[in-house]
Amino acid sequence: MNDSTPQSTDKAVQAWVYSLGGWSLVEDPVLNRPGAENDLSAGIKAGGYTVWTGVGKDYTMPLTLTVYSRLREPCYLAPVSYL
């Protein structure tokens, strides 16, 4: 989930991260990457994430879940997509 407050162009976008049993607000590991404003997959790749696992296919299900991972925290990213 993202911070719902409006962001100025000089301020980093923030996101909620769950770690050690609690939520904290950190700099978004994807949306602050170059190209992410036009292409979320470009931001995911620029953030150092690769596909770890997923379920659902865009052409057969209205809801898909892909989990991405990387070695540094936040280690996992799970955006949910729907048609």
Side-chain angles (χ1 to χ4, degrees), residues 4-67:
S4 61
T5 58
Q7 305 290 330
S8 66
T9 56
D10 60 340
K11 187 176 179 184
V13 177
Q14 294 185 317
W16 290 98
V17 173
Y18 187 79
S19 179
L20 301 172
W23 290 94
S24 59
L25 200 55
V26 300
E27 183 176 322
D28 192 293
V30 172
L31 295 181
N32 291 311
R33 303 294 179 207
E37 64 278 354
N38 297 322
D39 181 10
L40 186 59
S41 61
I44 291 170
K45 184 176 179 180
Y49 288 96
T50 58
V51 173
W52 183 59
T53 191
V55 66
K57 302 281 185 211
D58 287 336
Y59 57 87
T60 60
M61 298 182 72
L63 180 68
T64 61
L65 173 66
T66 303
V67 180

